[in-house]
Amino acid sequence: MGMWSIGAGALGAAALALLLANTDVFLSTSQKATLEYLEDIDLKTLEKEPRTFKAKELWEKNGAVIMAVRRPGCFLCREEAADLSSLKPKLDELGVPLYAVVKEQIRTEVQDFQPYFKGEIFLDEKKRFYGPQRRKMMFMGFVRLGVWYNFFRARNGGFSGNLEGEGFILGGVFVVGSGKQGILLEHREKEFGDKVNPVSVLEAARKIQPQTSAAESK
């Protein structure tokens, strides 16, 4: 009876742990970014002679849709990049650019990501687009049913990837209005493969009010 009790107790504890892992109890809480926070982020171009600039340049005139990529080699991130890229014709009609930021540049990872993402990509060395409160999902992600569903969805969609680079710091997607219009959409990835809804991105992009110069307004 003693061994049976120990075994039953262990199974019960494992079942409870699995149940809790599939709730939001232990997920990292996110802190909303402010426009002032995003504006001050330093980004770098990925040219041979990189230029450093403030992130506000990305959306100052026409707003922008920006993906903070968790890991370029991740097939889940490639799937989301392809989803966002499918919006590019409509974003082009609206005059709204599509960008991505990555937190590291390893070998050809960014170059290999580019076929999935149809916008320009920049480097965020200080990982500030992943804040203000940086969130991580460690190995708990591999016991979450939602993550496994996302895995199968992306695999069935024909996406593949690798394990190169840091992949625990969670990413997200922003739609930022022009000038001081503000953040119109902020999607924080809560688990691996938690994609933004493309319809919501497009709805937010339609709210962007492009800045007009003094000459144009006359």
Side-chain angles (χ1 to χ4, degrees), residues 67-84 113 116-117 137 141-142 144-163 167 170-173 187 189-196:
M67 177 182 181
V69 182
R70 180 167 52 81
R71 192 171 62 79
C74 171
F75 68 103
L76 297 170
C77 298
R78 290 175 173 183
E79 180 194 31
E80 183 169 29
D83 282 357
L84 288 172
F113 181 72
Y116 303 94
F117 189 78
M137 171 160 279
F142 298 102
R144 286 180 64 86
L145 297 178
V147 172
W148 283 100
Y149 170 80
N150 296 338
F151 282 168
F152 288 120
R153 181 197 63 219
R155 288 293 186 195
N156 289 337
F159 293 92
S160 61
N162 58 55
L163 298 175
L170 297 170
V173 173
H187 171 80
E189 187 182 27
K190 75 173 187 178
E191 63 184 8
F192 303 144
D194 174 30
K195 300 189 300 177
V196 69

Side-chain angles (χ1 to χ4, degrees), residues 9 17 20 34 48-49 77-78 92 95-96 98 103 116 119 127-128 139 145-146 169 185 190 195-196 201 203 209 215:
L20 289 175
T34 63
K48 288 185 178 179
E49 297 183 4
C77 298
R78 290 175 173 183
D92 288 345
V96 177
L98 175 65
K103 53 185 184 285
Y116 303 94
K127 306 178 181 62
R128 294 192 64 203
F139 296 103
L145 297 178
I169 297 175
L185 180 146
K190 75 173 187 178
K195 300 189 300 177
V196 69
V201 172
E203 287 176 353
Q209 302 165 356

Side-chain angles (χ1 to χ4, degrees), residues 107-178:
R107 289 182 283 279
T108 62
E109 289 303 293
V110 175
Q111 181 181 335
D112 296 340
F113 181 72
Q114 193 74 73
Y116 303 94
F117 189 78
K118 303 305 180 185
E120 199 169 352
I121 302 174
F122 303 99
L123 178 63
D124 177 11
E125 288 182 315
K126 295 182 179 178
K127 306 178 181 62
R128 294 192 64 203
F129 257 101
Y130 303 83
Q133 182 176 324
R134 201 176 299 168
R135 300 161 305 115
K136 286 187 177 184
M137 171 160 279
M138 306 300 284
F139 296 103
M140 182 183 71
F142 298 102
V143 297
R144 286 180 64 86
L145 297 178
V147 172
W148 283 100
Y149 170 80
N150 296 338
F151 282 168
F152 288 120
R153 181 197 63 219
R155 288 293 186 195
N156 289 337
F159 293 92
S160 61
N162 58 55
L163 298 175
E164 295 285 338
E166 197 287 322
F168 293 123
I169 297 175
L170 297 170
V173 173
F174 299 85
V175 179
V176 187
S178 62

Side-chain angles (χ1 to χ4, degrees), residues 31-126:
Q31 179 182 341
K32 291 286 186 182
T34 63
L35 182 62
E36 291 72 23
Y37 172 85
L38 294 181
E39 285 179 333
D40 196 48
I41 294 175
D42 289 322
L43 298 177
K44 280 187 178 181
T45 60
L46 299 178
E47 305 156 338
K48 288 185 178 179
E49 297 183 4
R51 177 178 74 92
T52 300
F53 64 97
K54 293 296 183 184
K56 66 180 180 179
E57 285 188 25
L58 298 182
W59 59 78
E60 206 158 25
K61 292 183 178 179
N62 298 300
V65 175
I66 305 166
M67 177 182 181
V69 182
R70 180 167 52 81
R71 192 171 62 79
C74 171
F75 68 103
L76 297 170
C77 298
R78 290 175 173 183
E79 180 194 31
E80 183 169 29
D83 282 357
L84 288 172
S85 294
S86 71
L87 300 177
K88 194 162 190 314
K90 292 181 180 178
L91 293 175
D92 288 345
E93 288 177 9
L94 295 170
V96 177
L98 175 65
Y99 300 118
V101 296
V102 294
K103 53 185 184 285
E104 56 188 355
Q105 188 177 12
I106 300 175
R107 289 182 283 279
T108 62
E109 289 303 293
V110 175
Q111 181 181 335
D112 296 340
F113 181 72
Q114 193 74 73
Y116 303 94
F117 189 78
K118 303 305 180 185
E120 199 169 352
I121 302 174
F122 303 99
L123 178 63
D124 177 11
E125 288 182 315
K126 295 182 179 178

